[in-house]
Each structure stands twice: as C-alpha cells, then as structure tokens.
Amino acid sequence: MTTTVPAVGTGTAEGSALQAVLLDMDGTLVDTEGFWWDAEVEVFAKLGHALDESWRHVVVGGPMTRSAGFLIEATGADITLPELTVLLNDGFEDRISRKLPLMPGAARLLAELAAHEIPTALVSASHRRIIDRVLDSLGPQHFALTVAGDEVERTKPHPDPYLHAAAGLGADPARCAVVEDTATGVAAAEAAGCRVVAVPSVAPITPDGGRTVVSSLEDVNLAFLRGLIPLPSEN
C-alpha cells in the first residue's frame, strides 16, 4: 500500500455513519476494462492464439494471476505466468499512455469527496506500476491511500484489499461505502463487510441484500453514499 497524501479525519455528517469511501479503479473511475481485453487479445495473437469473446467475462475484474493463468490454460500458450504478466502490463500501459478516458461522473464525484474532506482510498487489483500511471489522470490528491493488487497477499475477490484500505484510513469496514464495477470486486467488498454500490461495466450485477446497483457514476454523489450508512437507531 502507498499513502499518496496524509489520511484525513473520519468525521461524519449528521444523520450518517459514513466514515470513508473506497473506490475501484478500472471500469469504475477510468474506462479501461476494454483496454485490458485488447491487450490480452493482442498478446495472445502474437503467441498464435485467438481469444474467445466469452472469456472476457471470466477475466474481467480479477487479479492478474487469475486472469492470465486462465488464459494460459484455456489457450495452451507456451508462456509462463510471470512472462505473460509483464507483456500484459506493458500492453495496458501503452494504451493508457495514449488515452485514458474517465467514466462519466468520476471527476465530479472525486471533486465532491475532496471538497467535503471525505477519507477516500483507491483499491485496485491492478499492479502498482499501473495505478501510479492512472493517478496522473485521476489526481493523487483525491486519495488518502491507494492499494494495489500486488501489494496484498490476497487480492480481489478476497476481502484483504478493502480491509487494508479501511484500516489504513482508521475506518470501520461496516461504515465504508465501496464503489465497484465487477462481481469480483463486489465480492471482495462484501466479504470485508462494506456497503457496496455496483456500477456494472462489462457484465451485469444483480441487486442483492444490502448491495445497491446503479447504471452510472452520474447517479452517485456524497448524499447518496451517506444514505447507505445511516446512524444506528437509538430505539
């Protein structure tokens, strides 16, 4: 984990127990899920293998080891996992160096959270080298903490990244709102005990239990997030 700016306090607004907001990166704040698939298709084409479009839903949102491992097994490509990881990161980094579109509503949400001094963390399955490049566009000042997939022993769908982020901000996971775009990320956040807002990107996500599903970040603002975690009743 890398702290990009000092963590801020955890004061809550009247009527809300929200302590922190934890945000996924690819497909949630930046429109890059397609970049990963394009990089995978390109790398495997050079290895002499065509990827089946149906595999895209299998690899989306997962850690590099799981996604790359699945593709090696599915194609039978003659390449090791470490070798493939380097090639995929190189291909992705090349794409974001040319263009890095933000998701609709992302810039506005980040600005609103910063203006109200809401402790905010970026929690991604992407590696540190990728996160640091993306932060140039998102603005590192918007995050008190960033957690990369290669900095935790178990990344998404395990709860570890979100538990680390909450602990780093001094927040109770149950009082953290998470915004995610994939089932893998949602599973990680829910396993950590966080309240989740799902904004599906590649594959649909169904509302379930305390999970809220919206169509766009344009539907998410601070009042919305605070409403997810009301103060406990005194009755």
Side-chain angles (χ1 to χ4, degrees):
M1 287 85 61
T2 296
T3 307
T4 54
V5 296
V8 293
T10 56
T12 58
E14 183 177 353
S16 176
L18 178 69
Q19 288 185 329
V21 175
L22 315 178
L23 302 168
D24 174 54
M25 187 177 76
D26 293 303
T28 299
L29 293 177
V30 288
D31 191 7
T32 51
E33 289 291 10
F35 288 9
W36 281 115
W37 179 249
D38 290 345
E40 289 158 351
V41 168
E42 180 180 71
V43 167
F44 276 89
K46 291 179 180 178
L47 294 171
H49 299 275
L51 300 188
D52 191 306
E53 182 69 23
S54 66
W55 297 343
R56 184 172 182 174
H57 289 181
V58 178
V59 301
V60 66
M64 177 73 75
T65 52
R66 190 196 74 183
S67 301
F70 168 82
L71 292 174
I72 291 173
E73 183 176 353
T75 61
D78 184 18
I79 189 171
T80 67
L81 185 59
E83 290 170 338
L84 180 57
T85 297
V86 170
L87 293 177
L88 292 178
N89 275 324
D90 286 347
F92 182 81
E93 195 166 356
D94 177 64
R95 283 165 171 79
I96 63 174
S97 69
R98 289 178 270 152
K99 181 181 181 183
L100 184 57
L102 300 187
M103 298 297 287
R108 186 263 315 150
L109 178 60
L110 290 173
E112 183 179 13
L113 295 174
H116 290 84
E117 298 184 340
I118 303 299
T120 302
L122 186 68
V123 184
S124 176
S126 290
H127 290 186
R128 169 57 54 189
R129 61 178 280 195
I130 299 299
I131 288 181
D132 287 344
R133 288 294 302 272
V134 174
L135 280 172
D136 291 339
S137 295
L138 289 175
Q141 73 277 7
H142 290 119
F143 304 99
L145 183 73
T146 64
V147 179
D150 56 342
E151 295 174 338
V152 290
E153 184 175 348
R154 302 185 307 170
T155 189
K156 305 173 187 180
H158 298 287
D160 304 36
Y162 283 111
L163 291 174
H164 278 289
L169 296 177
D172 178 354
R175 296 175 67 178
C176 293
V178 170
V179 184
E180 272 280 359
D181 73 304
T182 67
T184 299
V186 167
E190 291 181 339
C194 304
R195 294 302 298 268
V196 180
V197 179
V199 190
S201 58
V202 175
I205 299 173
T206 58
D208 184 29
R211 180 192 313 159
T212 302
V213 179
V214 298
S215 60
S216 167
L217 276 187
E218 297 282 15
D219 300 324
V220 180
N221 57 25
L222 180 54
F224 178 90
L225 295 173
R226 282 175 168 160
L228 298 175
I229 309 175
L231 289 171
S233 172
E234 297 181 358
N235 297 332

